């Protein structure tokens, strides 16, 4: 089984920053303007993040208050990965990326109650893993730090 780490990138940080730049502050009024910004960003998909990974889509699901990113691992089928290991690595990397590299976007995401779902597919289009990162977990981690 392949290690997940080369395929888990900080691309979510780049996309989240792009969304923040497009929206300014994330309004709660039906998330209309935020949804509009996500739609504009998604219109430019797919985007190749590196030689191995492509962001296929990004969308806002108001009912679950999730930003959903879908990635494709370009050169490997889903059965080449151990799903639990991949999910564990993806969750840790996306949490680190959000909490450490995107501090400016956290407050707005927390105020809106947004979470980020990252779903990975193999080159064969089959599911590898899906992880959810809640920006509130960054605050809990900061409170535990000395």
């Amino acid at each position: 089984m392949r290690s997940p780490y080369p395929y888990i990138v900080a691309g979510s940080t780049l996309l989240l920053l792009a969304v923040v730049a497009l929206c300014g502050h994330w309004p709660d009024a039906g998330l209309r303007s935020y949804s509009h910004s996500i739609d504009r960003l998604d219109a430019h998909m797919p985007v190749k993040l590196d030689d191995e990974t492509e962001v296929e889509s990004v969308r806002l699901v108001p009912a679950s208050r999730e930003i959903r990113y879908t990635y494709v691992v370009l050169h490997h089928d889903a059965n080449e990965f151990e799903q639990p290991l991949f999910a564990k690595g993806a969750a840790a990397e996306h949490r680190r990326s959000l909490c450490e590299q995107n501090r400016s976007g956290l407050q707005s995401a927390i105020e809106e109650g947004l979470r980020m779902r990252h779903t990975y597919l193999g080159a064969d289009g089959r599911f590898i893993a899906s992880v959810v990162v809640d920006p509130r977990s960054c605050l809990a981690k900061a409170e535990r730090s000395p």
Side-chain angles (χ1 to χ4, degrees), residues 94-103 106 138 141:
H94 285 295
R95 206 171 288 113
R96 182 195 63 75
S97 176
L98 180 65
C99 295
E100 295 175 14
Q101 297 176 1
N102 191 32
R103 306 288 305 160
L106 285 178
C138 298
K141 181 180 176 183

Side-chain angles (χ1 to χ4, degrees), residues 7 9-16 41-50 52-59 67-74 94 117-121:
Y7 311 102
V9 297
S12 62
T13 298
L14 297 173
L15 293 173
L16 188 58
L41 185 61
D42 190 57
H44 297 286
M45 298 296 155
V47 172
K48 195 170 181 182
L49 296 175
D50 56 31
E52 299 289 339
T53 314
E54 182 174 86
V55 182
E56 193 72 16
S57 67
V58 58
R59 62 190 185 104
I67 301 171
R68 293 186 181 172
Y69 300 93
T70 302
Y71 304 87
V72 175
V73 178
L74 297 170
H94 285 295
R117 178 177 297 275
H118 304 274
T119 300
Y120 287 84
L121 306 175

Side-chain angles (χ1 to χ4, degrees), residues 57-127:
S57 67
V58 58
R59 62 190 185 104
L60 174 67
V61 181
S64 63
R65 300 193 80 74
E66 288 183 345
I67 301 171
R68 293 186 181 172
Y69 300 93
T70 302
Y71 304 87
V72 175
V73 178
L74 297 170
H75 306 292
H76 302 284
D77 290 344
N79 65 353
E80 296 180 54
F81 296 93
E82 186 177 327
Q83 289 180 347
L85 176 64
F86 193 101
K88 183 178 179 180
E93 187 61 28
H94 285 295
R95 206 171 288 113
R96 182 195 63 75
S97 176
L98 180 65
C99 295
E100 295 175 14
Q101 297 176 1
N102 191 32
R103 306 288 305 160
S104 63
L106 285 178
Q107 190 59 41
S108 295
I110 291 168
E111 287 172 9
E112 294 300 334
L114 293 172
R115 302 177 315 154
M116 290 68 181
R117 178 177 297 275
H118 304 274
T119 300
Y120 287 84
L121 306 175
D124 57 356
R126 293 180 52 225
F127 177 82

